[in-house]
Amino acid sequence: METPAFFTAVFLWCLLISVTGYSIYMGFGPPSKELRDPFEEHED
C-alpha cells in the first residue's frame, strides 16, 4: 500500500471530490445569488 500509484490515486480522488464540492457550493449555495444568466440578458 505504499506505492506511488496508490498515493497518486488517492490525491486525484480527493482533488475530484473537492472540485465537485466547490462547484456545487458555487452553483447552489449562497454565492449563487451573484451569478448572472447571459441567456436572460439577451432575450428578444
Side-chain angles (χ1 to χ4, degrees), residues 1 3-5 9-12 15 19-22 24 28-29 33 37-42 44:
M1 292 284 267
T3 62
V10 169
F11 173 75
L12 290 175
L15 184 66
V19 166
T20 303
Y22 181 72
I24 291 172
F28 298 105
K33 305 291 187 270
D37 188 1
F39 292 105
E40 285 185 6
E41 292 177 357
H42 299 289
D44 293 326

Side-chain angles (χ1 to χ4, degrees), residues 16-35:
L16 176 69
I17 295 297
S18 50
V19 166
T20 303
Y22 181 72
S23 299
I24 291 172
Y25 173 74
M26 290 299 291
F28 298 105
S32 68
K33 305 291 187 270
E34 300 173 12
L35 295 177

